[in-house]
Amino acid sequence: MDPDISEVARRAGVPASTLRYYEKKGLIASTGRHGLRRQFDPDVYERLALIQLGQAAGFSLDEIAQMFAGGAPQIDHAQLAAKADDLDRTIRRLSAMRDGLRHAANCPAPSHMECPKFRRILKAAASGAFRPRDGSPA
Amino acid sequence: MDPDISEVARRAGVPASTLRYYEKKGLIASTGRHGLRRQFDPDVYERLALIQLGQAAGFSLDEIAQMFAGGAPQIDHAQLAAKADDLDRTIRRLSAMRDGLRHAANCPAPSHMECPKFRRILKAAASGAFRPRDGSPA
DNA sequence: CTGCCACTTGAAGTCAGCTTTAGGTCAAGC
DNA sequence: GCTTGACCTAAAGCTGACTTCAAGTGGCAG
C-alpha cells in the first residue's frame, strides 16, 4: 500500500504541512487519493532527500523545482560549479568571521575597541568586506 | 556640522530607510533634529560598522542591540565563543556540500543517481546530516 | 449506522530585515 | 513670500519557507 501523508511525514522527518506545501509548489506529486487522502509513491523519499540536499547546498525551492522540471532530475553542471563557488566564498567569509570571533573571545584587551585586531576587522566590516554576495546564504 | 541622514547613508553605504529602521530598533541614535531632520553624531559610523560586523558573524539585530544595551558595547566572551562554534559547524557543513557539488559538477556518470558518491551524499541528506542546527545561518 | 478523528482545503499568520507608499513638514534658495 | 524637494511619519508590503487556523470530509471501528 502506498504511504499516506502521515507515513511519509514520519519516515522522512518532514511535517505533513510541508509535504502539502511542496506538492502545491510542484516539488513532489501524490499518486492519487484514497478518499480525500493523498497517497504517495515510495519514490517520494528520494525526492525529499534531493530537496533536502538541494536546500543544504543553498538552492531555493524554486531552483530545485526547475531541476526536477524535465522528467528525471536534470542538474546542470555549470550551475553546480557556480553554486560550489558561491559556497566557497561564503565559507571563506565565515572562516574569517570565526577567526575574528575566536580572537575577540580570548582577547585580553579591556574593551574590544582597544584591540588593534578587532579595530582592523571592524574597519573591514565598515568597508563592506563581509557583505554577503548575492547568492550567498544568510 | 553633524551629518544628516543622507550624509550618513552615503558615507556608510546604508540606505536611509535602514538607518531609520535601526533607530526605531534602538541600534543607533540621532543626537537631535534640525527642523524635522535627524542629525547624527559621527560615532554612528562606528556603530554601523559594529552592526555590519555582528550581522556578518551571524548575530541578529536583536542580539546586537543587547550588546549595545549597557553604555559601551559589552560583548560577552562566552557568547562570542559560542557563535564561533556555530560558525564552525556551519563551515563544516558547507564545506561538505561544496565538495559534493564539485564532485557532481565533474562526475562522468550519465545521471547523478548512477554515481555512488552522489547516492551516498543523498542518503546522508535523507538522514538529516545536513540539516542546519538551530543558530546556524541559512 | 454513527461517531471519531486523521485527513482535507484555502487563507491567513510568522519571522527577519528591510523597502515602499501615502501623505505631511519645513529649511533654504529664488 | 513662495516653491522646491529632501526629509519626516506610520503603516503596509515584500521574500522564502513554512505553520497555523477554521471549517469541512469521509474511511473505518464499534
Side-chain angles (χ1 to χ4, degrees):
Chain A
M1 193 66 166
D2 281 347
D4 80 339
I5 200 170
S6 63
E7 171 69 7
V8 174
R10 199 183 56 70
R11 270 198 49 191
V14 173
S17 63
T18 302
L19 295 174
R20 287 190 206 101
Y21 173 71
Y22 284 176
E23 192 189 30
K24 211 181 303 182
K25 275 232 145 188
L27 285 161
I28 59 176
S30 50
T31 52
R33 297 289 177 119
H34 179 57
L36 281 184
R37 303 177 184 204
R38 287 166 184 80
Q39 290 182 283
F40 290 94
D41 193 283
D43 286 356
V44 78
Y45 297 117
E46 186 179 292
R47 271 287 178 121
L48 289 170
L50 280 166
I51 292 168
Q52 294 187 17
L53 185 59
Q55 283 190 299
F59 291 102
S60 71
L61 292 182
D62 285 349
E63 285 173 318
I64 295 168
Q66 297 267 328
M67 294 174 190
F68 289 158
Q74 277 304 327
I75 305 174
D76 177 35
H77 288 218
Q79 191 183 6
L80 294 181
K83 193 59 83 172
D85 290 347
D86 277 356
L87 280 178
D88 222 32
R89 275 190 292 275
T90 299
I91 288 165
R92 266 199 278 279
R93 183 168 59 81
L94 294 181
S95 297
M97 282 308 319
R98 177 203 50 197
D99 295 344
L101 285 178
R102 286 253 158 79
H103 171 79
N106 301 318
C107 185
S111 151
H112 294 301
M113 290 315 289
E114 288 165 55
C115 167
K117 184 166 184 178
F118 187 83
R119 290 243 296 271
R120 201 149 33 74
I121 294 174
L122 193 57
K123 228 180 137 188
S127 74
F130 298 135
R131 255 177 289 217
R133 297 220 173 206
D134 201 55
S136 306
Chain B
M1 190 65 163
D2 281 348
D4 79 339
I5 200 169
S6 63
E7 171 69 8
V8 174
R10 199 183 56 69
R11 271 199 47 193
V14 173
S17 64
T18 302
L19 295 174
R20 289 191 205 100
Y21 173 71
Y22 284 176
E23 193 190 29
K24 212 181 305 181
K25 275 233 145 188
L27 286 161
I28 60 176
S30 50
T31 53
R33 297 288 178 119
H34 178 56
L36 281 184
R37 302 175 185 206
R38 288 166 182 80
Q39 290 182 284
F40 290 95
D41 193 284
D43 287 356
V44 77
Y45 296 116
E46 187 180 292
R47 271 288 179 120
L48 289 170
L50 280 166
I51 292 168
Q52 294 187 19
L53 185 59
Q55 284 190 298
F59 291 102
S60 70
L61 292 182
D62 284 349
E63 285 173 317
I64 294 168
Q66 297 265 330
M67 294 175 191
F68 289 158
Q74 278 303 327
I75 306 175
D76 177 34
H77 287 218
Q79 192 183 6
L80 294 182
K83 194 59 83 172
D85 290 348
D86 277 356
L87 281 179
D88 224 31
R89 275 190 292 275
T90 298
I91 288 165
R92 266 199 279 279
R93 184 168 59 81
L94 295 182
S95 297
M97 281 307 318
R98 177 202 51 197
D99 295 344
L101 285 178
R102 286 253 158 80
H103 172 80
N106 300 319
C107 185
S111 151
H112 294 302
M113 289 316 289
E114 287 166 56
C115 167
K117 185 166 184 177
F118 187 83
R119 290 241 298 269
R120 200 149 34 73
I121 294 174
L122 193 57
K123 226 180 139 187
S127 73
F130 298 135
R131 255 177 287 220
R133 296 218 173 209
D134 202 54
S136 306

